[in-house]
Amino acid sequence: MGRGEDDSALRRDGFEICPWLSGIGMKATLEVINRMQADGVIGKYAIGGAVGATFYLEASATLDIDIFVSLKNPPGSPLLTLAPIYDYLTSRGYKTEKEYIDIEGWPVQFLPPSGALDEEALAQAIETEVQELPTRVITAEHLVALALRTARAKDFARILQFVEAGVLNADRLDQILKRHGLLEKWEQFGVKFFRGNP
Amino acid sequence: MNDWMRKVLDSKRAARRRLRALSFSEKLKLLEKLRERSLEISRSPLRRRENKKV
């Protein structure tokens, strides 16, 4: 849906559309990230965190975008570095603040894979579009596994949202949790929030 | 739980289902609106005054 196109679905649900909301600001952010990919600065990427969860759930407030991203090792170095991303973006005028880079009004955190779960989540991400702009989103089951691993209060709240929404494939989630040693954490989560039956 | 409360909860569930069923683009519009409101609230002088009390 482009700028000025039909917003009837939102109006029907009682959401007044502000003029500045007739397009999506985040689309500009994703365009920059797609350009970085096309320019070879990053490899595959996928949206995670609260924005990724919005693909499956109702929208909830968040202030930043988590981008899982595959990086290439610099020549002669075994270490992955975010330096090429920072160099690319700061040379184009984008500002950094702590671990974020402000891209077209959205603070973006780039997360290179820190283990097998992240790598799998990135590899199996779903292809989708935002106003005809191609992008990728982490699967619901991987988002739950990542949240379970991170285990902050807001991560548990998000897992509960996923469970209540009924959008998880139980077999797929089970396989992911088994592969990445998260079954015990999942059982603890079940005991805490569902009295043993997640 | 009385009938009235049950109706309220059913209505909330139905609203959440409708919101989940929106396209990703439509949901991102809502997310941006929510973010703007969160930022406005955090910028409020009243909020800053309350934070100082804690």
Side-chain angles (χ1 to χ4, degrees):
Chain A
M1 192 163 66
R3 197 170 278 270
E5 290 176 39
D6 185 23
D7 288 318
S8 56
L10 296 178
R11 287 206 177 84
R12 190 188 57 227
D13 285 302
F15 289 92
E16 182 195 348
I17 307 300
C18 300
W20 51 267
L21 266 175
S22 58
I24 300 176
M26 196 186 293
K27 186 182 179 189
T29 308
L30 295 173
E31 276 170 344
V32 172
I33 296 170
N34 282 2
R35 210 175 311 133
M36 282 173 61
Q37 191 180 26
D39 290 344
V41 180
I42 57 171
K44 277 187 173 178
Y45 80 88
I47 305 169
V51 180
T54 294
F55 184 77
Y56 307 95
L57 306 172
E58 64 271 28
S60 56
T62 185
L63 298 177
D64 56 20
I65 310 175
D66 291 339
I67 299 288
F68 288 75
V69 63
S70 64
L71 299 170
K72 295 167 191 151
N73 294 1
S77 169
L79 296 174
L80 290 173
T81 170
L82 291 169
I85 295 177
Y86 279 72
D87 293 345
Y88 180 94
L89 291 170
T90 53
S91 71
R92 284 160 177 77
Y94 295 109
K95 303 276 184 259
T96 62
E97 191 179 336
K98 297 179 184 169
E99 68 272 34
Y100 295 97
I101 306 179
D102 189 313
I103 306 177
E104 302 295 334
W106 273 92
V108 178
Q109 186 169 25
F110 289 96
L111 303 162
S114 63
L117 174 59
D118 301 46
E119 281 170 13
E120 184 182 284
L122 189 51
Q124 295 182 11
I126 290 169
E127 307 217 343
T128 184
E129 288 182 351
V130 173
Q131 290 186 332
E132 297 174 6
L133 184 79
T135 189
R136 298 174 80 240
V137 177
I138 303 280
T139 69
E141 294 78 16
H142 281 105
L143 285 171
V144 166
L146 290 164
L148 193 65
R149 186 187 66 185
T150 312
R152 298 163 299 181
K154 68 176 184 178
D155 296 304
F156 291 143
R158 191 172 302 149
I159 296 171
L160 289 169
Q161 275 186 289
F162 271 107
V163 173
E164 284 175 8
V167 295
L168 296 169
N169 178 317
D171 290 339
R172 191 167 182 208
L173 177 62
D174 201 44
Q175 292 300 314
I176 293 169
L177 297 175
K178 266 186 201 156
R179 267 199 302 280
H180 300 287
L182 290 166
L183 272 180
E184 195 180 330
K185 271 196 166 183
W186 183 244
E187 280 160 20
Q188 289 166 358
F189 177 83
V191 169
K192 193 168 182 179
F193 294 102
F194 296 99
R195 296 204 174 93
N197 295 303
Chain B
M1 191 189 307
N2 61 31
D3 280 352
W4 179 79
M5 196 62 196
R6 192 168 290 115
K7 275 182 192 167
V8 168
L9 292 177
D10 286 347
S11 167
K12 281 177 184 284
R13 272 190 218 105
R16 290 181 65 187
R17 265 199 304 276
R18 282 200 303 277
L19 290 172
R20 275 201 299 274
L22 293 172
S23 74
F24 192 34
S25 294
E26 288 168 327
K27 288 195 269 189
L28 290 185
K29 285 184 187 178
L30 290 177
L31 188 146
E32 295 201 336
K33 191 169 185 174
L34 290 167
R35 176 188 182 233
E36 192 60 30
R37 285 181 180 172
S38 296
L39 291 171
E40 274 175 25
I41 290 167
S42 68
R43 283 193 292 259
S44 157
L46 285 172
R47 164 97 179 241
R48 280 201 290 276
R49 205 155 51 222
E50 285 303 310
N51 285 345
K52 276 182 191 166
K53 283 182 189 168
V54 180

